[in-house]
Amino acid sequence: MLSVNNIQTYYGNIQALKNVSIEVPQGSIVTILGANGAGKTTTMKSIAGVLKPKQGTITFLDEDITNKNPDELVRKGISLVPEGRAILSGMTVLENLEMGAYQRKGSIKQDLDKVMERFPILKERQSQLGGTLSGGQQQMLAIARALMAKPKLLLLDEPSMGLAPLIVKDIFQIVKEINEEGTTVLLVEQNARQALKIADHAYVLETGRVIKSGSAKELLKDSSIKEAYLGH
Ligand code: ATP
């Protein structure tokens, strides 16, 4: 579904990605692991059109999307839930969700009902300002807002960051369910073990390069991965 082919992305003169290639098959969950600064967020931003790679190509559903802007990509079915969530804290929960569908024409009522059914806490708090929600609820709102755009491919950048373990479990469960309902997922995570448990394939980034890839099952058993990312 998504093919990232040898992309090189820079911040000014600093090269953050040196030939990154990633395949995301339709219907799968693919995870990108790596230490701080490895280039995970840069990869996600490059796919979402927020950063433009200097070299390389990105194709989505057989179309070259390399230089498309984020709005166009949302219309084509790619939504990014950025690191740090970026919900609109001065707007209500309902307004945040409506913002997620701003590119769409026609009624969004049915989709609002659907995401509120999935996230009952958002229904309950729909009139509250986004900024008054807990961290976990804000992450749910960020995911729900992305779902309002009806993505075919959901890009999740560290959805479990800064959340308590019980909430982390909920978030991973939600990601799995969203995938089971037909949305393809590319997931960046520090929480490598849980990410590998729900993923089909995984890539490991180190200083802007893919140093390892394989099925999630294989990587869970890989001794160098265990040592570097799984805590033993
Ligand atoms: P983290 O988990 O810390 O977000 P990451 O794997 O997502 O790590 P990136 O944020 O993609 O890493 O960063 C990759 C490299 O690019 C790092 O060396 C980082 O210092 C550099 N970098 C990131 N953002 C900028 C920026 N705005 N300007 C210059 N360099 C940047």
Side-chain angles (χ1 to χ4, degrees):
M1 178 185 230
L2 180 83
S3 278
V4 175
N5 310 296
N6 292 314
I7 58 166
Q8 302 188 15
T9 304
Y10 288 73
Y11 295 99
N13 291 326
I14 303 165
Q15 186 172 10
L17 300 185
K18 302 157 186 162
N19 278 336
V20 169
S21 296
I22 285 171
E23 290 290 326
V24 183
Q26 188 140 19
S28 64
I29 300 181
V30 174
T31 186
I32 304 177
L33 310 175
N36 284 343
K40 305 179 300 296
T41 296
T42 308
T43 302
M44 295 298 242
K45 286 185 174 168
S46 300
I47 296 167
V50 180
L51 293 169
K52 307 280 177 219
K54 241 187 195 167
Q55 297 274 333
T57 57
I58 302 173
T59 60
F60 178 63
L61 298 171
D62 297 323
E63 185 188 354
D64 186 343
I65 56 157
T66 315
N67 286 308
K68 301 245 183 285
N69 62 42
D71 283 2
E72 273 178 282
L73 293 174
V74 171
R75 285 196 295 274
K76 288 188 186 297
I78 301 180
S79 287
L80 170 68
V81 179
E83 192 176 7
R85 313 190 254 276
I87 61 148
L88 302 158
S89 52
M91 283 185 161
T92 66
V93 167
L94 181 61
E95 286 162 348
N96 268 277
L97 291 173
E98 287 167 350
M99 287 296 288
Y102 80 101
Q103 298 223 353
R104 287 172 41 202
K105 299 187 182 79
S107 168
I108 60 165
K109 170 87 174 66
Q110 211 180 342
D111 299 308
L112 266 177
D113 288 348
K114 203 172 153 202
V115 297
M116 294 224 188
E117 200 180 307
R118 168 179 295 293
F119 300 99
I121 191 74
L122 299 182
K123 184 173 189 178
E124 220 173 274
R125 310 233 155 147
Q126 58 181 297
S127 313
Q128 255 179 252
L129 294 181
T132 66
L133 300 181
S134 71
Q137 291 162 0
Q138 289 190 13
Q139 184 62 68
M140 288 180 197
L141 178 56
I143 295 173
R145 186 179 59 181
L147 291 178
M148 287 299 294
K150 287 185 165 271
K152 296 181 180 115
L153 173 66
L154 186 62
L155 306 174
L156 293 168
D157 195 351
E158 304 225 13
S160 78
M161 190 163 65
L163 302 180
L166 268 179
I167 318 267
V168 171
K169 212 170 143 227
D170 287 349
I171 297 283
F172 276 97
Q173 181 60 32
I174 287 164
V175 173
K176 211 170 140 213
E177 284 170 17
I178 290 169
N179 175 253
E180 282 164 0
E181 284 165 23
T183 308
T184 305
V185 174
L186 180 59
L187 170 69
V188 159
E189 260 301 329
Q190 291 279 342
N191 204 326
R193 188 184 302 277
Q194 301 218 44
L196 288 172
K197 278 192 183 152
I198 63 162
D200 300 294
H201 304 278
Y203 290 82
V204 181
L205 280 186
E206 203 174 281
T207 56
R209 287 195 169 84
V210 174
I211 56 147
K212 195 159 246 176
S213 66
S215 77
K217 264 199 184 125
E218 268 164 37
L219 294 198
L220 261 177
K221 287 188 281 184
D222 184 299
S223 55
S224 62
I225 300 291
K226 275 188 181 167
E227 204 173 304
Y229 301 105
L230 302 178
H232 59 83

